[in-house]
């Protein structure tokens, strides 16, 4: 698909040439990549999904013909042509430009472009489109001290809910940051989880973990998360028969058992989050489980985790979230 055309204003003066995408400019010295008719092109390396990308090319030649036009074609990694969001505008000297918008859901990856000018002079190349990054909704961030028998008394469990309210895309490679502060507002420690989860369209999930803090007592925790916008492909993992098991020992030890069933068509990674709450919604215990075997499409994996002792209170419910993160 042709994205635009316009007459090129003639100029005998030799000027640098540039192709601009997403605000990134790469200059080429005159004649560095000139075609037979004196056209000079250059290339850039990247753009971002969801952004308006301006593509400009400066061309230099000696033949004075105002009817000459250049055409730009840009294609996605799958070969689909992208429509422009505005027609080319007349520019100074011999510069022509096109405006295109990379869709918010990409597709990310290697895009191609082709500029064709009179006299069979063409230039083609590729540029990388990075996924659009957006904030993930976070709520109900809590932490609790865990007097675990197999660890010291400075271990804390923490958890928060994360959500993707959109029905049009999923959020992948979610990075999570939990910041613990003392009563004076000073940072005690920070926990970072990279590529923690995928949230399918309109899905609410759980992020949790444990951290050991020495010498200071945290008073609050704040959790933030960002991820990549992606085309809808994954299906939520179903959690079945989830139950909380308490030991007959004193003090009581908590375990969680259940089953995760992958109803989708792609294997998902073996990582999930667990949290235990009392009847008022206060966090009593939490952990995250990583590096379990992936769950193939149409199959299930058992959940059987010993959490140990929890915080003060009576456990009333348990939540589990097994993200539908592709096993790549």
């Amino acid at each position: 698909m042709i994205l635009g055309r316009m007459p090129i204003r003639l100029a005998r003066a030799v000027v640098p040439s540039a192709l601009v995408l997403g605000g990134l400019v790469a200059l080429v010295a005159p004649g560095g990549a000139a075609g037979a008719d004196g056209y000079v092109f250059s290339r850039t390396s990247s753009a971002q999904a969801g952004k308006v990308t301006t593509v400009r090319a400066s061309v230099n030649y000696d033949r004075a013909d105002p009817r000459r036009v250049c055409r730009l074609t840009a294609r996605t990694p799958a070969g689909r042509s992208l429509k422009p969001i505005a027609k080319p505008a007349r520019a100074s000297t011999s510069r022509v430009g096109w405006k295109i918008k990379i869709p918010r859901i990409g597709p990310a990856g290697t895009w191609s472009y082709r500029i064709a000018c009179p006299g069979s002079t063409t230039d083609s190349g590729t540029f990388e489109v990075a996924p659009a990054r957006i904030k993930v909704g976070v709520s109900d961030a809590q932490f609790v001290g865990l007097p675990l028998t197999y660890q010291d008394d400075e271990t804390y469990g923490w958890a928060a809910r994360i959500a993707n309210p959109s029905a049009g895309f999923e959020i992948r490679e979610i990075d999570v940051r939990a910041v613990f502060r003392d009563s004076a507002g000073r940072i005690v420690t920070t926990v970072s989880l990279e590529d923690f989860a995928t949230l399918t369209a309109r899905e609410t999930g759980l992020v949790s973990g444990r951290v050991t803090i020495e010498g200071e007592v945290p008073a609050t925790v704040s959790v933030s998360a960002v991820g990549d916008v992606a085309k809808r492909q994954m299906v939520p993992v179903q959690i079945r028969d989830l139950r909380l098991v308490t030991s007959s020992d004193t003090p009581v030890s908590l375990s969680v058992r259940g089953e995760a069933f992958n109803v989708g068509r792609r294997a998902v990674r073996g990582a999930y989050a667990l949290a235990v709450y009392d009847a008022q919604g206060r966090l009593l215990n939490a952990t995250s489980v990583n590096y379990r075997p992936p769950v193939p499409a149409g199959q299930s994996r058992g959940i059987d985790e010993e959490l140990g002792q929890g915080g003060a209170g009576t456990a009333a419910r348990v939540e589990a979230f097994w993200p539908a993160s592709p096993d790549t």
Side-chain angles (χ1 to χ4, degrees):
M1 179 180 292
I2 296 174
L3 298 190
R5 66 172 63 185
M6 67 169 290
I8 298 175
R9 184 173 296 182
L10 305 178
R12 293 182 178 274
V14 177
V15 295
S17 169
L19 177 67
V20 184
L21 285 120
L24 300 178
V25 184
L27 292 178
V28 174
D37 289 332
Y39 301 99
V40 183
F41 304 99
S42 63
R43 296 179 176 87
T44 190
S45 59
S46 63
Q48 187 173 23
K51 302 293 184 180
V52 175
T53 295
T54 302
V55 181
R56 298 186 182 95
S58 294
V59 293
N60 307 292
Y61 51 86
D62 294 329
R63 300 177 184 178
D65 186 350
R67 295 172 297 179
R68 292 191 169 198
V69 296
C70 287
R71 298 179 177 90
L72 170 72
T73 302
R75 296 185 181 274
T76 69
R80 184 176 65 87
S81 297
L82 187 69
K83 294 181 180 180
I85 62 171
K87 294 182 179 180
R90 186 178 297 275
S92 61
T93 63
S94 57
R95 175 168 294 182
V96 292
W98 300 262
K99 285 186 176 181
I100 59 175
K101 183 174 183 179
I102 308 296
R104 194 180 190 189
I105 59 173
T110 302
W111 289 54
S112 63
Y113 70 87
R114 182 176 183 270
I115 299 176
C117 294
S120 299
T121 301
T122 63
D123 180 67
S124 62
T126 61
F127 59 92
E128 295 297 320
V129 172
R133 298 281 284 177
I134 64 170
K135 291 183 179 180
V136 177
V138 178
S139 62
D140 195 25
Q142 300 185 52
F143 76 96
V144 62
L146 300 177
L148 303 177
T149 57
Y150 52 89
Q151 294 185 14
D152 56 44
D153 291 339
E154 298 169 337
T155 297
Y156 299 85
W158 62 274
R161 289 182 175 83
I162 53 177
N164 173 19
S166 173
F169 57 81
E170 61 190 35
I171 307 176
R172 292 190 184 182
E173 299 185 14
I174 296 175
D175 296 334
V176 179
R177 187 170 184 260
V179 180
F180 292 80
R181 298 179 183 270
D182 63 16
S183 57
R186 298 171 298 189
I187 293 179
V188 176
T189 192
T190 300
V191 178
S192 296
L193 304 177
E194 296 183 355
D195 191 8
F196 171 77
T198 291
L199 282 173
T200 62
R202 287 185 176 174
E203 184 179 25
T204 298
L206 181 74
V207 57
S208 61
R210 288 179 176 174
V211 60
T212 298
I213 301 175
E214 299 181 357
E216 292 185 288
V217 177
T220 62
V221 62
S222 60
V223 179
S224 59
V226 295
D228 294 343
V229 175
K231 183 179 179 180
R232 295 175 55 182
Q233 293 181 333
M234 306 303 293
V235 179
V237 175
Q238 294 182 0
I239 303 297
R240 300 175 175 178
D241 301 325
L242 190 68
R243 58 199 182 275
L244 186 64
V245 181
T246 58
S247 69
S248 58
D249 302 331
T250 302
V252 172
S253 180
L254 303 175
S255 295
V256 176
R257 293 172 187 158
E259 179 186 13
F261 183 67
N262 180 12
V263 298
R265 298 181 178 181
R266 298 180 60 181
V268 298
R269 292 203 305 259
Y272 54 96
L274 296 172
V276 178
Y277 298 89
D278 66 12
Q280 287 72 44
R282 292 186 293 256
L283 183 68
L284 298 181
N285 210 319
T287 192
S288 59
V289 180
N290 298 303
Y291 309 116
R292 293 292 192 270
V295 185
Q299 296 188 23
S300 62
R301 285 284 184 271
I303 297 174
D304 186 2
E305 296 298 327
E306 182 180 354
L307 302 182
Q309 299 175 44
T314 301
R317 74 175 193 275
V318 60
E319 296 184 13
F321 175 56
W322 195 306
S325 301
D327 181 48
T328 55

